[in-house]
Amino acid sequence: MLHYHGTPLTPRSELEKLAGKNFCVSFAAPQDASWCIKNAQSIMWDNGAFSSFTKGKPFDKQGYINWLDDKLYGANWAVIPDVIDGSVEDQRNYMRGWPYPLHLSCAVWHMALPLSWLEELVNTYPRVAFGSSGEYWKVHDKSWQRRADEAWELITKTNTRPWVHMMRGLKLSGKRWPFASTDSTNVARNFKNKGREKCPKEMCDRIDAIQVPLNFLNPDKGTQEQ
């Protein structure tokens, strides 16, 4: 599992200690984009749709597409615009017109949407992200775990072997789901907690050292840890 550490992270002196890590840079908060291009091992470009949604602001789809034009190369990849709380048709319509190659793109499956939509995505895109939504909003609670098990059972049966990313999922390192990558702003948000200050590089190193299995093993069939 690759761990994409969320930005922005301040002060810059602490960010500089993380050169060579994988980073997530959001269209909604692009302050560290130039530094990451020069120093990151790879970059996940996030569309920032969730930030726009939570702030009650419209998402600038064309602005995001234009912003990516000089950034989407090499090992870097981008999240295709998605509609928060939208239907399958909303998602399908919104994804039309995406101009970038599929191997540099990541479609989002909102976990409250049907598994049939996930199946369509993994049969179309080499990279798909899970987005926690609806009753599956809280990552790793019991209902989320059941839904993730259902999703991974389906993916396993398709034998498409896609790159599956988990949005906001660094806490899943070491768990049973074989995500290829995940992201979180955990380090950027929490290393300066008053009275519990931590070194961000040490935090990242600990997270990066924890991995997941290569294959999904369903606990309902007598397999591994919860």
Side-chain angles (χ1 to χ4, degrees), residues 68-220:
L68 289 171
D69 186 57
D70 62 350
K71 300 175 178 65
L72 199 50
Y73 293 93
N76 303 335
W77 52 274
V79 179
I80 299 172
D82 58 315
V83 183
I84 308 300
D85 285 346
S87 66
V88 169
E89 283 307 308
D90 290 334
Q91 308 299 336
R92 188 180 283 114
N93 291 334
Y94 208 57
M95 292 165 71
R96 289 195 178 101
W98 177 250
Y100 297 110
L102 293 187
H103 71 280
L104 299 178
S105 308
C106 182
V108 179
W109 174 64
H110 295 266
M111 295 177 73
L113 293 179
L115 290 171
S116 58
W117 174 232
L118 172 61
E119 184 172 13
E120 180 177 333
L121 292 176
V122 299
N123 278 293
T124 305
Y125 294 90
R127 194 186 314 255
V128 174
F130 286 15
S132 302
S133 64
E135 63 182 293
Y136 314 111
W137 171 252
K138 189 174 182 180
V139 177
H140 203 242
D141 72 4
K142 291 298 183 182
S143 62
W144 186 97
Q145 290 186 40
R146 288 192 296 271
R147 188 59 165 173
D149 288 343
E150 292 174 345
W152 274 106
E153 278 282 294
L154 181 148
I155 291 171
T156 301
K157 289 176 181 177
T158 67
N159 200 31
T160 52
R161 306 192 187 194
W163 178 297
V164 183
H165 179 84
M166 184 65 223
M167 309 289 280
R168 301 187 298 114
L170 281 179
K171 67 171 65 177
L172 300 176
S173 297
K175 304 303 181 182
R176 65 178 177 266
W177 303 279
F179 291 105
S181 59
T182 185
D183 72 273
S184 173
T185 56
N186 171 56
V187 173
R189 288 186 174 185
N190 297 321
F191 81 93
K192 291 187 289 187
N193 284 350
K194 190 173 182 179
R196 295 185 297 157
E197 294 87 351
K198 300 178 182 179
C199 170
K201 185 177 187 306
E202 291 180 359
M203 292 176 70
C204 288
D205 287 346
R206 283 196 296 270
I207 293 168
D208 292 350
I210 304 173
Q211 283 302 317
V212 295
L214 289 177
N215 301 296
F216 174 62
L217 301 173
N218 195 321
D220 293 333

